[in-house]
């Protein structure tokens, strides 16, 4: 007898938040979130991953990095709105590989007007970080739309 397929609850949660975000994005002037997976570099070299990310990033990049700025949800919403209002056509939120981002790539992103965002100083597993990021994108859009989802101070 075959085992039932194992559910990937973290991927399901991320997909749910991104679906909700899509419902809020367009009326606010955002294209809506797309989810793209770039397979890790076989060598594990952050410089190789940086080259692949350069080809995939459109608009401004936001790197999730423990060295980044810790922002509240309203600050993330404000950042997204200010990027949109300054003419940035898209934001690419990037979760790095196991060895983090190449330092040169981090510097390029910041110099090009992107940002480094930290969900605290801890290092999080990629799949969990993806859920947290999807939820924060949805929450930021809910804040901008004055949707009751966000009840924070």
């Amino acid at each position: 007898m075959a085992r039932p397929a194992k559910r990937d609850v973290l991927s399901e949660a991320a997909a749910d938040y991104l679906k909700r975000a899509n419902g809020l994005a367009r009326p606010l002037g955002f294209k809506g979130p797309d989810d793209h997976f770039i397979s890790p570099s076989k060598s594990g070299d952050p410089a190789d991953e940086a080259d692949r990310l350069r080809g995939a990033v459109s608009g401004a990049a936001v790197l999730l990095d423990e060295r980044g700025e810790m922002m509240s949800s309203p600050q993330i919403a404000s950042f997204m709105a200010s990027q949109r209002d300054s003419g940035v056509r898209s934001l690419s939120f990037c979760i790095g590989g196991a060895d983090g981002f190449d330092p040169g790539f981090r510097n390029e992103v910041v110099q090009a007007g992107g940002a480094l965002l930290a969900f605290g100083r801890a290092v999080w597993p990629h799949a969990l970080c993806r859920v947290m990021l999807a939820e924060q994108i949805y929450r930021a859009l809910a804040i901008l739309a004055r949707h009751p989802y966000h009840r924070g101070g």
Side-chain angles (χ1 to χ4, degrees):
M1 183 194 262
R3 254 188 181 168
K6 190 174 179 181
R7 287 183 56 202
D8 184 352
V9 294
L10 293 177
S11 287
E12 290 174 16
D16 180 58
Y17 282 120
L18 292 175
K19 181 179 176 183
R20 293 182 199 192
N22 260 318
L24 295 175
R26 283 185 178 29
L28 294 169
F30 293 98
K31 183 181 121 203
D34 293 326
D35 190 15
H36 300 285
F37 178 77
I38 298 170
S39 55
S41 168
K42 291 190 190 317
S43 68
D45 182 7
D48 289 344
E49 280 185 3
D51 287 338
R52 295 164 71 194
L53 283 170
R54 282 182 192 97
V57 166
S58 67
V62 178
L63 306 183
L64 271 65
D65 189 297
E66 72 268 16
R67 295 165 202 83
E69 181 180 352
M70 289 188 277
M71 295 184 203
S72 66
S73 297
Q75 287 173 316
I76 294 170
S78 178
F79 171 78
M80 289 171 57
S82 69
Q83 291 288 308
R84 174 202 60 200
D85 296 346
S86 68
V88 173
R89 297 188 50 85
S90 68
L91 284 173
S92 295
F93 288 87
C94 304
I95 303 169
D99 296 313
F101 293 104
D102 175 70
F105 182 61
R106 274 198 307 267
N107 291 337
E108 288 172 33
V109 165
V110 171
Q111 289 176 357
L116 304 178
L117 173 64
F119 288 156
R121 295 293 174 226
V123 175
W124 298 95
H126 186 278
L128 186 54
C129 191
R130 215 174 133 240
V131 175
M132 294 173 11
L133 175 59
E135 192 280 338
Q136 284 299 297
I137 290 170
Y138 170 63
R139 183 176 296 275
L141 294 170
I143 290 167
L144 295 172
R146 299 187 196 314
H147 185 281
Y149 177 75
H150 177 72
R151 292 187 178 101

